[in-house]
Amino acid sequence: MFCGLKWGNEMYFDEFQYSSQGGRSYNEDSIGSKYFDDCGIFVVADGLGGHQFGKDASDCVVDTILEGWSCQEENRSEWLTGQIAAANTHILAIQQERQSVLKSTAVALAIDGKSAVWANVGDSRLYYLHESGIYGCTEDHSVSYKKYKAGEITKEEICRDEDQSCLLRAIGNKERSEPDIHVCDAELEAGDAFLLCTDGVWEYLKDEEILIDLLKAEDARQWGELLLLRIMERIDGENDNLTLLTLILK
């Protein structure tokens, strides 16, 4: 668990991080953030491959993105795409060295002053909450999400669908590792908030609950804890790793 408050020149980052192995015997998720003045980078990754291999993959993603962060980058979209490509190259090299399969999902948010860009690969998600509504959300790269987009299942049924774990993209994939990039078209304001999380979190939450708990909360930690309370009431002891990062701009 991590709580952070950071003053920038113009932006105040109120951040809370939580990661748990859940009902599994090990935790393959990774989480991290880095700040410079009013610029910040926030990353959540979910490793695939079992035990240490999955954790190594998610750590590689988070470390690669954080280590490359700089406020001097002019094009955040290109920068995020490049860092994810670099992480993909690193993981492919580890696969070759170990002769084993290890991959990772990723969701990353880059904030620079009043603007934001985010990227995702796989089924880790970002929710952007703005003006008392969920303004944006990433789309999963999974078979189940394709079914939802085609109208075969509802969004709430994704977490129960038999194909939920069938990912169409992942970092550590030679052919399908490219991220979706979204440039926020609204200028960031005080009160705007972001939730970055793995599937072990979002599968237990409805969109409206994410918003309701933000409106109840005084800070990022309380928002995260309210979400975790909902999740803890719904898990069965055999649940996946769960990792979330809540961020409120002040």
Side-chain angles (χ1 to χ4, degrees), residues 48 68 207 209:
L48 315 168
D207 288 4
E209 292 173 336

Side-chain angles (χ1 to χ4, degrees), residues 127-170:
Y127 297 82
Y128 171 39
L129 294 90
H130 173 73
E131 295 182 345
S132 299
I134 294 183
Y135 188 80
C137 180
T138 53
E139 296 190 357
D140 307 338
H141 301 132
S142 69
V143 173
S144 293
Y145 203 87
K146 287 284 189 182
K147 288 182 178 179
Y148 156 63
K149 295 292 285 186
E152 297 176 21
I153 60 175
T154 66
K155 190 173 184 180
E156 288 72 24
E157 289 174 326
I158 292 174
C159 62
R160 300 187 297 274
D161 188 68
E162 59 185 1
D163 294 319
Q164 182 199 340
S165 61
C166 297
L167 298 183
L168 301 174
R169 298 187 209 173

Side-chain angles (χ1 to χ4, degrees), residues 24-217:
R24 304 296 170 84
S25 56
Y26 43 82
N27 189 352
E28 295 185 288
D29 293 350
S30 294
I31 188 171
S33 61
K34 195 172 183 178
Y35 311 98
F36 290 110
D37 295 323
D38 58 350
C39 301
I41 182 74
F42 309 86
V43 189
V44 166
D46 182 355
L48 315 168
H51 199 39
Q52 190 61 40
F53 288 166
K55 181 61 174 173
D56 288 347
S58 63
D59 281 348
C60 179
V61 170
V62 172
D63 291 346
T64 299
I65 295 176
L66 295 187
E67 288 171 4
W69 176 249
S70 167
C71 274
Q72 306 306 313
E73 301 294 336
E74 294 185 359
N75 191 319
R76 299 296 182 192
S77 299
E78 290 184 2
W79 180 84
L80 276 173
T81 300
Q83 292 306 115
I84 289 173
N88 191 62
T89 298
H90 293 332
I91 293 177
L92 289 175
I94 297 172
Q95 289 180 2
Q96 185 68 24
E97 176 185 336
R98 297 185 184 178
Q99 293 296 299
S100 299
V101 175
L102 59 154
K103 300 178 182 179
S104 180
T105 70
V107 60
L109 166 67
I111 293 179
D112 180 6
K114 296 291 188 179
S115 63
V117 179
W118 54 85
N120 69 294
V121 182
D123 62 354
S124 291
R125 290 185 183 178
L126 177 145
Y127 297 82
Y128 171 39
L129 294 90
H130 173 73
E131 295 182 345
S132 299
I134 294 183
Y135 188 80
C137 180
T138 53
E139 296 190 357
D140 307 338
H141 301 132
S142 69
V143 173
S144 293
Y145 203 87
K146 287 284 189 182
K147 288 182 178 179
Y148 156 63
K149 295 292 285 186
E152 297 176 21
I153 60 175
T154 66
K155 190 173 184 180
E156 288 72 24
E157 289 174 326
I158 292 174
C159 62
R160 300 187 297 274
D161 188 68
E162 59 185 1
D163 294 319
Q164 182 199 340
S165 61
C166 297
L167 298 183
L168 301 174
R169 298 187 209 173
I171 302 176
N173 190 315
K174 291 182 180 180
E175 298 177 351
R176 299 187 303 277
S177 62
E178 69 280 6
D180 283 345
I181 301 289
H182 183 91
V183 179
C184 184
D185 55 10
E187 183 173 293
L188 298 181
E189 302 174 350
D192 284 0
F194 296 88
L195 168 65
L196 286 71
C197 60
T198 58
D199 61 335
V201 168
W202 60 253
E203 66 180 336
Y204 294 103
L205 298 172
K206 296 179 181 179
D207 288 4
E208 57 267 28
E209 292 173 336
I210 294 171
L211 177 59
I212 288 169
D213 287 345
L214 172 64
L215 296 176
K216 289 180 181 178

